[in-house]
Amino acid sequence: MQAASMTRAKLAATVRRPALTLQRGVWGLVLIVALAGHFWLARLPFPIDAELAPPLAATPGERLVLVGPAAGVPLLEFVGAPGAAAEVRFERARLSLSSLSLLRSAGLDPPADDGPLEWLTTETGADGTRSLFTLGLPADAAGDARVELFQLQEENRRFPYFEVRTQGAELAVTLAAISADPFAERAERPAEQRTLIAGSRRLTLPAAVPLTIVVPAGEALRLRAVAAGNGAAQPPQWQWSMGTRHEGQLPLRAAGVRDSAGRFRQFACAAPARGPYARGADRLGEGVCDRGAATPTLVGEQLSVLPERLALTLRGLAWVARDGAAVNRGLLDRFAGEPRLMLALAAVDLALVLAAGLPLYRALRGRRAAPEPDIFISYRRDDSIAEAKDIADELARHLGADRIFIDLEDIRPGDRFLQRISENIARCRAMIVVIGPGWLGAMRDGQRRLDDPKDVVRHEIGEALRLGLLVIPVLVRDAPLPRPQDLPESLRRLLEHSALPVSVVRLREDVQRLAAALQPIESADGAETS
């Protein structure tokens, strides 16, 4: 019988080691993926009250952007102090149809086409009149309209000012004045005057005449505060309310500060009560707000216009990113406010542990429980290698492949190899010494091998006798049992053990007898085999 180049015992051990290594690698990979997932989740923007986030403030050169402001309600509204006013300049705009009709009914001839317009303060009365400005989007404006508010980098910043430009919708600007006492006698009081400049036409109008000017999308208008009488020092800042004056709230889809490179330095996106923004803070930094609540939960309350910056006050729930990183509450506070997410995360972690940990646990347990080889087969390669293989295969059928150790590797004898052989023998309980016709007289370099202290077969048998193992000489091909005087002194005790002839013709029967003689010994895991 011809066996494979390696016994099933050695093959099984060789297969188990890569399998266990693969399982450990998979477990390590799963652990790394789980940790990476936790790290990724911890860095995601979670809903936060916008009042707790850093305020939105745009310096000259930056842009304060309002995304999806509510249409049909005032975007910005300003009521000036008594005697104070403001100047408005339009790059390109036109008077609304109602304003055109009003001015023409008064005998004036204003232009109807788009063009540059200016609304200037010319005379400030003492009747306590206050200027009123309202900016808003039409009711049919698209939900993705954007409004940009910005200041240019100029040296002269005596008066606070800002510019406005819309994208995706027109902007309607209402200019008027409110009298402190509209029923008071005005005969001896000078009336507030405003000047409307339209191209080459210059129209002087009472400030109380309301005008609505329409600014096309993409065109800018510039608003500048003017102190009473153009002489007093202006207030330190210019306050604009958002939404109606009474409510002071403008629903927004998002708001942010965009730098000169076009990236949002800070961005707040209206968020639902729970749930992180799965696209991450980087996407918020690009101004992407596509996963928010169906009804905007973010509102703008007030715009502060200072000579050196524009500041927006926000309130409501939002995902907030600043300089590419999420602005969040503490990690424990976040998860405390997300019970469903916390339970889902715990369930996923448990599933990962069970899916990857149990196979690893079973593999390690199986490795500990797997029996060590405890029956060593000693043979001489050029004498009885074929018979040794056949005996090993048959014994494996009876006792199990894991219990049989037979070294078929072609390794030259040496101290290192002998040490490894000694370690294997020390773990065994029995040794089978296969003796063929050439076992005793095998020669190397003119010397009988058994007379060499480093001979592998002599070393194997000597170790087994020294350790007190059960030793069974097996005679193949009608080989005789050696005489005592033919053996080295250290091997003569081999003859004290009964020999068993094994014939190729009766291989199965003879090996069955051999297996029966080996069954009572303890296996390497400590359990007695019966």
PDB file of all heavy atoms in Angstrom, residues 32 72 101 141 147 171 227 318 375 400 458 507-508:
ATOM      1  N   ILE A  32     -11.290  45.739  14.212  1.00  0.00           N
ATOM      2  CA  ILE A  32     -10.837  47.010  13.640  1.00  0.00           C
ATOM      3  C   ILE A  32     -11.999  47.730  12.969  1.00  0.00           C
ATOM      4  O   ILE A  32     -12.171  48.953  13.119  1.00  0.00           O
ATOM      5  CB  ILE A  32      -9.691  46.758  12.639  1.00  0.00           C
ATOM      6  CG1 ILE A  32      -8.435  46.273  13.390  1.00  0.00           C
ATOM      7  CG2 ILE A  32      -9.376  48.021  11.849  1.00  0.00           C
ATOM      8  CD1 ILE A  32      -7.309  45.858  12.480  1.00  0.00           C
ATOM      9  N   GLY A  72     -42.537  84.490   1.109  1.00  0.00           N
ATOM     10  CA  GLY A  72     -43.787  85.127   1.462  1.00  0.00           C
ATOM     11  C   GLY A  72     -43.790  85.829   2.798  1.00  0.00           C
ATOM     12  O   GLY A  72     -44.805  86.412   3.186  1.00  0.00           O
ATOM     13  N   SER A 101     -47.302 102.703 -10.719  1.00  0.00           N
ATOM     14  CA  SER A 101     -48.625 103.320 -10.811  1.00  0.00           C
ATOM     15  C   SER A 101     -48.764 104.474  -9.833  1.00  0.00           C
ATOM     16  O   SER A 101     -49.319 105.542 -10.162  1.00  0.00           O
ATOM     17  CB  SER A 101     -49.710 102.267 -10.546  1.00  0.00           C
ATOM     18  OG  SER A 101     -49.650 101.229 -11.490  1.00  0.00           O
ATOM     19  N   ALA A 141     -41.281  81.637  -4.519  1.00  0.00           N
ATOM     20  CA  ALA A 141     -39.838  81.373  -4.617  1.00  0.00           C
ATOM     21  C   ALA A 141     -39.545  79.901  -4.378  1.00  0.00           C
ATOM     22  O   ALA A 141     -40.222  79.220  -3.583  1.00  0.00           O
ATOM     23  CB  ALA A 141     -39.075  82.224  -3.610  1.00  0.00           C
ATOM     24  N   VAL A 147     -29.675  83.204  -0.186  1.00  0.00           N
ATOM     25  CA  VAL A 147     -29.446  84.633  -0.012  1.00  0.00           C
ATOM     26  C   VAL A 147     -28.057  84.822   0.580  1.00  0.00           C
ATOM     27  O   VAL A 147     -27.719  84.196   1.595  1.00  0.00           O
ATOM     28  CB  VAL A 147     -30.513  85.267   0.907  1.00  0.00           C
ATOM     29  CG1 VAL A 147     -30.226  86.745   1.100  1.00  0.00           C
ATOM     30  CG2 VAL A 147     -31.904  85.046   0.340  1.00  0.00           C
ATOM     31  N   LEU A 171     -35.664  89.318  -5.343  1.00  0.00           N
ATOM     32  CA  LEU A 171     -35.747  89.904  -4.009  1.00  0.00           C
ATOM     33  C   LEU A 171     -36.591  91.170  -4.094  1.00  0.00           C
ATOM     34  O   LEU A 171     -36.355  92.033  -4.945  1.00  0.00           O
ATOM     35  CB  LEU A 171     -34.353  90.234  -3.482  1.00  0.00           C
ATOM     36  CG  LEU A 171     -34.261  90.828  -2.064  1.00  0.00           C
ATOM     37  CD1 LEU A 171     -34.701  89.803  -1.034  1.00  0.00           C
ATOM     38  CD2 LEU A 171     -32.850  91.303  -1.777  1.00  0.00           C
ATOM     39  N   ALA A 227     -26.580 108.228  10.101  1.00  0.00           N
ATOM     40  CA  ALA A 227     -27.003 108.797  11.374  1.00  0.00           C
ATOM     41  C   ALA A 227     -27.910 109.997  11.137  1.00  0.00           C
ATOM     42  O   ALA A 227     -27.916 110.607  10.064  1.00  0.00           O
ATOM     43  CB  ALA A 227     -25.798 109.202  12.199  1.00  0.00           C
ATOM     44  N   ALA A 318     -30.163  71.798  14.837  1.00  0.00           N
ATOM     45  CA  ALA A 318     -29.384  71.798  13.597  1.00  0.00           C
ATOM     46  C   ALA A 318     -28.191  70.868  13.747  1.00  0.00           C
ATOM     47  O   ALA A 318     -27.704  70.607  14.846  1.00  0.00           O
ATOM     48  CB  ALA A 318     -28.907  73.206  13.268  1.00  0.00           C
ATOM     49  N   ILE A 375       1.744   8.221  19.756  1.00  0.00           N
ATOM     50  CA  ILE A 375       2.350   6.976  19.281  1.00  0.00           C
ATOM     51  C   ILE A 375       3.375   7.351  18.220  1.00  0.00           C
ATOM     52  O   ILE A 375       3.032   7.865  17.160  1.00  0.00           O
ATOM     53  CB  ILE A 375       1.297   6.018  18.710  1.00  0.00           C
ATOM     54  CG1 ILE A 375       0.267   5.661  19.797  1.00  0.00           C
ATOM     55  CG2 ILE A 375       1.948   4.773  18.141  1.00  0.00           C
ATOM     56  CD1 ILE A 375      -0.884   4.832  19.284  1.00  0.00           C
ATOM     57  N   GLY A 400      -7.068   6.574  15.257  1.00  0.00           N
ATOM     58  CA  GLY A 400      -7.230   7.996  14.967  1.00  0.00           C
ATOM     59  C   GLY A 400      -5.940   8.605  14.461  1.00  0.00           C
ATOM     60  O   GLY A 400      -4.863   8.369  15.035  1.00  0.00           O
ATOM     61  N   ARG A 458      18.957   5.443  16.482  1.00  0.00           N
ATOM     62  CA  ARG A 458      19.523   5.120  17.795  1.00  0.00           C
ATOM     63  C   ARG A 458      19.053   6.139  18.839  1.00  0.00           C
ATOM     64  O   ARG A 458      18.694   5.773  19.967  1.00  0.00           O
ATOM     65  CB  ARG A 458      21.054   5.113  17.698  1.00  0.00           C
ATOM     66  CG  ARG A 458      21.756   4.939  19.038  1.00  0.00           C
ATOM     67  CD  ARG A 458      23.245   4.809  18.868  1.00  0.00           C
ATOM     68  NE  ARG A 458      23.925   4.827  20.165  1.00  0.00           N
ATOM     69  CZ  ARG A 458      25.227   4.579  20.326  1.00  0.00           C
ATOM     70  NH1 ARG A 458      25.992   4.316  19.252  1.00  0.00           N
ATOM     71  NH2 ARG A 458      25.782   4.597  21.526  1.00  0.00           N
ATOM     72  N   LEU A 507      -1.333  -7.512   6.286  1.00  0.00           N
ATOM     73  CA  LEU A 507      -1.095  -6.197   6.887  1.00  0.00           C
ATOM     74  C   LEU A 507      -2.239  -5.792   7.816  1.00  0.00           C
ATOM     75  O   LEU A 507      -2.016  -5.379   8.958  1.00  0.00           O
ATOM     76  CB  LEU A 507      -0.897  -5.144   5.784  1.00  0.00           C
ATOM     77  CG  LEU A 507      -0.639  -3.715   6.286  1.00  0.00           C
ATOM     78  CD1 LEU A 507       0.695  -3.646   7.022  1.00  0.00           C
ATOM     79  CD2 LEU A 507      -0.662  -2.730   5.116  1.00  0.00           C
ATOM     80  N   ARG A 508      -3.465  -5.908   7.344  1.00  0.00           N
ATOM     81  CA  ARG A 508      -4.583  -5.429   8.153  1.00  0.00           C
ATOM     82  C   ARG A 508      -4.730  -6.244   9.439  1.00  0.00           C
ATOM     83  O   ARG A 508      -4.963  -5.682  10.518  1.00  0.00           O
ATOM     84  CB  ARG A 508      -5.883  -5.480   7.347  1.00  0.00           C
ATOM     85  CG  ARG A 508      -5.914  -4.465   6.225  1.00  0.00           C
ATOM     86  CD  ARG A 508      -7.318  -4.267   5.701  1.00  0.00           C
ATOM     87  NE  ARG A 508      -7.392  -3.173   4.747  1.00  0.00           N
ATOM     88  CZ  ARG A 508      -8.505  -2.733   4.193  1.00  0.00           C
ATOM     89  NH1 ARG A 508      -9.660  -3.332   4.505  1.00  0.00           N
ATOM     90  NH2 ARG A 508      -8.484  -1.742   3.338  1.00  0.00           N
TER      91      ARG A 508
END
